[in-house]
Amino acid sequence: MKTPRLFTALTGLTIAGTLALSGCADYNIEEPDTAPQSSDEASAFLGCLTSAGVDAKINTSGQVLTKTPAQLEAGDEISSDDDEALAMERDDAGHLWIAAPDATYFSDNPETQGAYASCEEKHPDFMQPQSDPGSDPNFQQDQAQQEEAALEFAQCARQNGFSQVADPDASVGGAILLPDGFDESAFRALAEACYDPANPIAIASTGELEFDPWKILEEFQEEPAS
């Protein structure tokens, strides 16, 4: 059985508690490898950080977040190439908070790194739990909107002569599954007819394609509004 390859155009999607998605990746849902921490362990670790002068808090996933110097303006979306942070969240004031995996994350901030490392020594039982985006209401809403956009895209495709494009495939997270043999010129024509940059969708393929669907959708994403 071929493993579907997912090309996602969610470059601007904000998901509370997780990093925004971008690029392409082998689509494989895995269970979190970290058991949920007790509230006592997280609270003790939080107290240690705050007593050392580190701005920190606990999110709904039980992760301990630390405040960063970043200040986001209203309307800015969380999008980052930071693949080390376990989660990123923005508060109502626009401050960005991150869930660090361990003290080494703060290599560019010796003071915070020292405080974090000290708390790790004092509380060896604390370990950051993995977040579950599926339980976040904002994520659920964004996912529902993406599924609706993908369904409209598939319907538009068939109305424009692409009868081989089926409705979104639940096995690949509601993505549009491109049939084998779909070439770049056909995909560009499909995107031109049906893709709405204001409603990003995900594209998947069970085989190797000779073009990158995400890059093509990204071109449409970057075009100025008419």
Side-chain angles (χ1 to χ4, degrees):
M1 177 178 176
K2 295 179 180 178
T3 300
R5 189 164 176 78
L6 180 70
F7 302 82
T8 173
L10 303 180
T11 54
L13 180 62
T14 300
I15 303 174
T18 66
L19 296 181
L21 304 177
S22 62
C24 63
D26 292 325
Y27 191 84
N28 183 26
I29 299 176
E30 299 179 355
E31 292 296 323
D33 57 6
T34 307
Q37 300 294 296
S38 72
S39 58
D40 289 343
E41 291 172 344
S43 295
F45 193 80
L46 173 67
C48 180
L49 288 177
T50 56
S51 65
V54 177
D55 287 330
K57 64 180 181 180
I58 299 176
N59 66 7
T60 56
S61 298
Q63 296 168 313
V64 174
L65 307 180
T66 56
K67 185 178 177 182
T68 74
Q71 180 76 35
L72 304 179
E73 300 295 332
D76 286 349
E77 297 170 330
I78 298 174
S79 180
S80 175
D81 294 329
D82 185 347
D83 57 0
E84 295 182 3
L86 300 178
M88 287 186 175
E89 296 181 11
R90 178 179 58 186
D91 61 23
D92 293 338
H95 300 120
L96 185 64
W97 300 70
I98 61 94
D102 52 50
T104 60
Y105 179 87
F106 303 101
S107 59
D108 60 347
N109 189 334
E111 185 174 350
T112 299
Q113 184 177 42
Y116 205 97
S118 177
C119 290
E120 287 177 327
E121 293 179 2
K122 295 176 182 177
H123 303 280
D125 292 334
F126 174 75
M127 184 178 295
Q128 294 275 31
Q130 299 291 331
S131 62
D132 177 14
S135 65
D136 187 281
N138 291 328
F139 178 86
Q140 294 170 359
Q141 181 180 1
D142 289 332
Q143 186 177 45
Q145 292 174 346
Q146 180 188 333
E147 291 173 354
E148 181 179 354
L151 180 59
E152 292 178 356
F153 182 90
Q155 293 171 342
C156 174
R158 294 192 292 272
Q159 291 169 1
N160 283 271
F162 296 92
S163 59
Q164 68 272 50
V165 177
D167 284 344
D169 192 330
S171 68
V172 286
I176 296 294
L177 189 61
L178 295 182
D180 290 344
F182 214 78
D183 61 25
E184 180 174 354
S185 62
F187 186 76
R188 284 188 177 276
L190 174 58
E192 180 71 33
C194 299
Y195 181 61
D196 179 4
N199 295 296
I201 60 172
I203 301 293
S205 172
T206 56
E208 290 295 328
L209 298 175
E210 296 182 356
F211 65 98
D212 186 343
W214 181 75
K215 290 295 185 184
I216 294 175
L217 294 184
E218 189 178 42
E219 293 174 13
F220 285 86
Q221 202 78 28
E222 294 175 350
E223 286 182 356
S226 57

